[in-house]
Amino acid sequence: MHLRRKESIQISARFAAVFVLVLMLAVPFWDGTLAVEMWSSQTFVLRLLVAGVAIAVLANRAVSARWRRHFPYLPMLMLIFAASLLCVFAANDPRATDQMHSAHSFLLIGLVMMIAIMPLTLAEAGLLAVPFLALLAISAQSGLETGFVPFEMLLAFLLPLAMVSSLVQLYRTIAAVHEIAIDPLTGCYTRAFGMEMIRVSFDAAQRKNAPYTVAFVDLDDFKQINDRYGHDYGDRILGEVGNNLVHRFRRSDLVVRWGGEEFLILLPELDRARAAEVLDRVMLPGLAKLEDGQVQKASVGLSERIEDAIALPHNLIDLADQRMYDAKKRRDREDLVEQGYLGRRSAVQALASQSAAAGNTQSADHSIN
């Protein structure tokens, strides 16, 4: 959710930068800046500064990538701060005309409306509003020139609406991401969201040179459960399995429903030995309770970034998947020897039972005859 929100804020900031840049390039032809030769005026210099900030925001150079990750609203704040400075200095420029002041008022109003489309928290929206509030306070004290459009009245009316709208956008973003990211049946993350998260978390592990383990989990004999009890019962088991998996792992771990009865567990900063211990504890009580008093078991395959020398996340998943199938084959062989170990029933046992039942029927028919 945080990633989606940051992307949305940064895209909105670049859109605001386009608006600012176009306005700064267009208004000189409308307000007479070029005709009165204001090349050396503070108004013209500040307009160049605002246009430069807009270009930096468009090029993602206004702030460093690290600052953008932690404070995605900073580029927009820089645009607002530069536009507010322009209004203050231009209002005190004796060479500025009413058309110029009006253009600056339109600039501020446009930036306020850009805030309305950003998914911001209340604290972030309040921080973006600080330059506007400071500008209103300065205007109230000194009576800034605002041209034909009194921005004091418009900002006082539009700014609260923009802040409320940004909160609504945040709620809509959270709801949309939740709908996309969470599987409604199991409560785990969806496969599409899991693919995105494994790329992000895998890259983070590479940067920190930290271990990163993936566990591929496949429920044992789930097809037989669906065939015997029906798909509604199977869905209930899947829901219970998903709930148990989500609550038995750390909050930093990610549980993804990979497809059907398959789950992918992302275990950052755990090597394979520690991850195996964690999986043993998680799987020991079973993942769900079955009708016959047994518990739902699963086969698990583990792969780890450093130990397995893997550089791409999808290769890590493929290796864990292959090891899961190897574990399932070993468990099938153990079932043949241990006759029903872990609550599972092998195909050989089923055939033996069917043969025995057929033999008993023949004996009974023979006795009757």
Side-chain angles (χ1 to χ4, degrees):
M1 191 276 289
H2 294 296
L3 291 173
R4 293 294 188 188
R5 191 178 76 89
K6 289 177 182 178
E7 289 176 359
S8 179
I9 291 174
Q10 291 171 5
I11 290 173
S12 299
R14 288 197 289 271
F15 183 70
V18 171
F19 163 75
V20 170
L21 191 58
V22 169
L23 190 64
M24 289 296 98
L25 293 175
V27 292
F29 299 96
W30 170 74
D31 62 11
T33 304
L34 301 179
V36 297
E37 298 182 352
M38 295 185 64
W39 307 105
S40 60
S41 67
Q42 59 188 22
T43 299
F44 188 79
V45 172
L46 263 296
R47 284 185 174 182
L48 289 179
L49 173 64
V50 172
V53 172
I55 292 172
V57 171
L58 277 175
N60 278 337
R61 294 293 184 269
V63 293
S64 67
R66 178 183 177 185
W67 283 94
R68 284 200 307 272
R69 284 197 300 270
H70 294 290
F71 308 102
Y73 54 85
L74 279 183
M76 186 65 177
L77 182 60
M78 293 183 65
L79 281 174
I80 294 172
F81 184 73
S84 300
L85 283 180
L86 171 61
C87 289
V88 172
F89 281 93
N92 293 310
D93 188 349
R95 300 172 62 185
T97 64
D98 286 341
Q99 288 91 342
M100 296 177 191
H101 298 313
S102 298
H104 302 155
S105 296
F106 285 127
L107 173 63
L108 292 179
I109 293 168
L111 289 176
V112 169
M113 301 312 297
M114 294 298 171
I115 292 177
I117 66 175
M118 291 183 167
L120 301 171
T121 65
L122 184 59
E124 292 169 345
L127 187 60
L128 291 181
V130 168
F132 294 119
L133 297 176
L135 187 60
L136 292 176
I138 294 172
S139 178
Q141 291 293 326
S142 59
L144 296 180
E145 292 288 341
T146 59
F148 304 123
V149 184
F151 66 75
E152 297 94 344
M153 181 181 68
L154 291 174
L155 287 182
F157 177 70
L158 293 176
L159 191 57
L161 290 180
M163 294 177 67
V164 172
S165 178
S166 66
L167 295 177
V168 173
Q169 293 295 330
L170 176 61
Y171 170 78
R172 293 177 62 184
T173 301
I174 294 174
V177 170
H178 188 274
E179 183 177 350
I180 295 172
I182 304 299
D183 176 56
L185 178 61
T186 61
C188 303
Y189 290 114
T190 60
R191 178 167 181 164
F193 186 80
M195 284 297 297
E196 183 174 350
M197 290 308 301
I198 192 173
R199 284 194 293 268
V200 173
S201 54
F202 188 88
D203 290 343
Q206 282 185 321
R207 287 196 302 270
K208 296 186 293 186
N209 196 27
Y212 188 91
T213 299
V214 165
F216 205 103
V217 178
D218 184 81
L219 303 185
D220 293 331
D221 293 331
F222 192 74
K223 185 179 183 301
Q224 286 82 350
I225 292 175
N226 273 331
D227 293 342
R228 182 175 181 182
Y229 299 107
H231 288 280
D232 289 340
Y233 179 81
D235 288 346
R236 185 186 71 77
I237 296 300
L238 282 175
E240 187 176 345
V241 169
N243 181 71
N244 286 331
L245 287 175
V246 169
H247 288 90
R248 291 178 188 178
F249 285 98
R250 305 170 299 175
R251 294 188 64 180
S252 58
D253 302 329
L254 296 178
V255 182
V256 181
R257 186 185 181 190
W258 201 243
E261 67 272 19
E262 296 176 336
F263 295 85
L264 195 70
I265 318 296
L266 311 181
L267 303 164
E269 300 185 358
L270 284 184
D271 57 29
R272 202 161 71 190
R274 291 177 59 197
E277 294 175 2
V278 172
L279 266 296
D280 285 342
R281 291 197 300 269
V282 169
M283 300 297 170
L284 183 61
L287 296 178
K289 295 181 179 179
L290 303 178
E291 285 286 342
D292 54 4
Q294 300 292 327
V295 293
Q296 179 65 56
K297 297 292 184 177
S299 300
V300 182
L302 294 175
S303 60
E304 199 277 316
R305 184 186 70 86
I306 298 176
E307 295 179 40
D308 294 313
I310 292 178
L312 297 174
H314 67 269
N315 291 338
L316 199 66
I317 297 173
D318 292 341
L319 181 58
D321 187 14
Q322 182 57 51
R323 287 174 174 168
M324 180 275 297
Y325 277 110
D326 292 341
K328 190 175 288 290
K329 290 177 182 177
R330 287 195 301 270
R331 179 165 288 176
D332 287 338
R333 289 195 296 268
E334 292 171 358
D335 285 346
L336 294 177
V337 175
E338 300 182 22
Q339 298 181 351
Y341 177 62
L342 297 179
R344 302 177 64 225
R345 194 176 182 192
S346 68
V348 174
Q349 289 174 314
L351 290 174
S353 299
Q354 291 174 1
S355 299
N360 292 337
T361 303
Q362 291 175 358
S363 299
D365 291 342
H366 180 74
S367 299
I368 291 173
N369 292 333

